[in-house]
Amino acid sequence: WIEPAPPPSVGCDLIYEVSRLLKRGKILALKDQRAFRLIARADDDAVVQRLQRRQEWSGTPVGLMVRDLEMAHRVAVLDEQSEEQLRAVSSPRVIVPFRPDAPVAARLRELAEVELMLTPEPVYEVLFGDLADELATPLIAIPAQVGVDAPVRDNEEARRILRDVVDYLVLHDLVLFPCTEDWVVRVVDSEPVVLRRSGADTDIPLPLPDRAPQVIALGCSSEATAAAALPDCIRMGPFVGELDSERAVEQFGRTARRLLELFEGEPEFVTYDPVCRARFSTVLRSIDAEPVPVDHHHAHVAAVMAEHAMLGPVLGLALDGPAPVVDADLGRAVILE
């Protein structure tokens, strides 16, 4: 159903009503089978400007959904590897350059790159079919959240948080948990590099190179998530966002509790970033395991090692911001032995 109810059209179904609203330049929050997404037509500068102002974009690539590979090639410059990633079963967002003549608003083309994805579910294929005759353009399709807050997870949150962001909500009564984020991939030197993984129950696990202790890991406060390190693999939790609001911390705790269900008994250790401990201290205290502080620069390097099945020793260089002990322009280096 749609909230608020739009003016009725005689004999029309829900998808037709959604496509009619999009054609009229309305911004919608659509709840599909795995996430809430903000969707709008991508070829209207006024619509893009309204959404940009309401959602507080930071100038990073914006997610666009295309009907098929033909539309993808009209929007972006695709090589063979990028096209292969677009077709992957995980329905990733693939970061690629815009074409100068892409059929989208000039405000979007100014960003130079786009997070492009094919339709992840049949509902969008049907929607594009309804739009095809009058609207040969991709759709903006981005996570339903405001600024750096956690993504919207249920109907009540959508009504409360998105009422000033969208014109209409498209809802159903199924529960989304875990609410899975889209994969984000970039092709570098002809090889796909995963920049963000999806939700815990649907991810391809990261294999571990040797039998390991059971660990639950609590990510830092920026773009936070949690992970479960099992004896043979790592399972990622869904992306939560910045832990600067009560609802983000609550979602973070719910993710951690969900991951605890994956363990055989209890985890031996719970790791955390000591700099950010105050943000999720209640979550940390609720886990019956030995707490182990881990510098998050160390964690960056360890994560890359895990993803590439490396045991080390390695020299790891984490270039993610200044630290007082090294050159502020360099970041911080750590050695793992």
Side-chain angles (χ1 to χ4, degrees):
W1 69 92
I2 302 175
E3 296 180 11
S9 298
V10 178
C12 294
D13 61 19
L14 179 71
I15 293 295
Y16 178 86
E17 294 288 358
V18 171
S19 65
R20 188 167 63 95
L21 293 172
L22 289 171
K23 290 173 188 176
R24 290 169 48 200
K26 302 301 182 182
I27 299 170
L28 311 179
L30 190 150
K31 181 183 181 184
D32 61 33
Q33 293 182 50
R34 62 181 186 178
F36 277 85
R37 302 179 197 274
L38 304 184
I39 60 172
R41 57 188 300 170
D43 63 341
D44 188 318
D45 261 307
V47 172
V48 173
Q49 185 175 1
R50 277 197 298 134
L51 184 53
Q52 184 178 27
R53 185 172 61 248
R54 293 178 183 183
Q55 216 225 357
E56 305 170 22
W57 286 347
S58 59
T60 56
V62 172
L64 295 187
M65 186 185 295
V66 292
R67 177 182 61 241
D68 49 32
L69 287 174
E70 179 184 348
M71 180 180 283
H73 280 282
R74 291 205 306 268
V75 171
V77 179
L78 299 178
D79 56 21
E80 183 178 343
Q81 291 78 16
S82 297
E83 188 173 306
E84 182 180 344
Q85 290 303 308
L86 274 177
R87 295 197 303 263
V89 68
S90 53
S91 301
R93 296 177 183 270
V94 184
I95 299 179
V96 287
F98 263 123
R99 286 194 175 279
D101 58 348
V104 299
R107 189 175 290 267
L108 291 176
R109 290 197 302 271
E110 290 171 358
L111 298 174
E113 292 185 315
V114 56
E115 289 185 4
L116 204 62
M117 70 184 305
L118 291 174
T119 54
E121 296 181 15
V123 63
Y124 296 105
E125 296 175 18
V126 177
L127 181 57
F128 270 113
D130 254 8
L131 293 168
D133 294 338
E134 301 178 42
L135 199 62
T137 183
L139 293 175
I140 296 174
I142 55 182
Q145 62 191 97
V146 179
V148 297
D149 202 0
V152 171
R153 306 287 171 175
D154 58 45
N155 292 353
E156 287 307 312
E157 283 194 345
R159 294 182 181 110
R160 185 176 72 255
I161 296 169
L162 300 177
R163 61 188 177 192
D164 296 325
V165 177
V166 302
D167 301 306
Y168 292 93
L169 303 171
V170 185
L171 305 175
H172 56 71
D173 56 7
L174 299 180
V175 176
L176 304 183
F177 192 81
C179 180
T180 60
E181 296 296 317
D182 300 319
W183 288 60
V184 179
V185 176
R186 183 193 289 275
V187 175
V188 179
D189 294 333
S190 300
E191 292 292 332
V193 177
V194 178
L195 304 184
R196 189 175 76 202
R197 293 178 179 269
S198 182
D201 283 7
T202 56
D203 260 3
I204 298 171
L206 288 173
L208 288 173
D210 199 3
R211 186 164 181 84
Q214 294 196 132
V215 180
I216 185 165
L218 305 181
C220 58
S221 63
S222 177
E223 305 216 357
T225 188
L230 306 169
D232 58 349
C233 69
I234 296 173
R235 290 279 185 177
M236 298 293 295
F239 169 75
V240 175
E242 308 286 340
L243 297 184
D244 56 0
S245 69
E246 288 186 9
R247 60 177 293 272
V249 173
E250 188 277 333
Q251 176 59 33
F252 187 70
R254 197 185 328 171
T255 296
R257 290 191 295 275
R258 177 80 174 196
L259 288 171
L260 286 171
E261 297 174 5
L262 301 177
F263 288 97
E264 301 170 4
E266 299 290 339
E268 297 174 59
F269 306 101
V270 51
T271 64
Y272 65 94
D273 182 354
V275 174
C276 307
R277 178 170 182 161
R279 299 280 185 97
F280 48 75
S281 58
T282 54
V283 179
L284 185 61
R285 288 196 302 269
S286 70
I287 298 173
D288 185 18
E290 181 182 342
V292 178
V294 176
D295 181 282
H296 82 265
H297 301 91
H298 181 123
H300 288 322
V301 177
V304 174
M305 291 175 66
E307 191 157 19
H308 295 276
M310 297 169 60
L311 284 174
V314 304
L315 175 66
L317 188 63
L319 301 173
D320 71 335
V325 297
V326 294
D327 185 336
D329 293 329
L330 176 62
R332 182 170 180 179
V334 294
I335 299 175
L336 299 189
E337 297 180 351

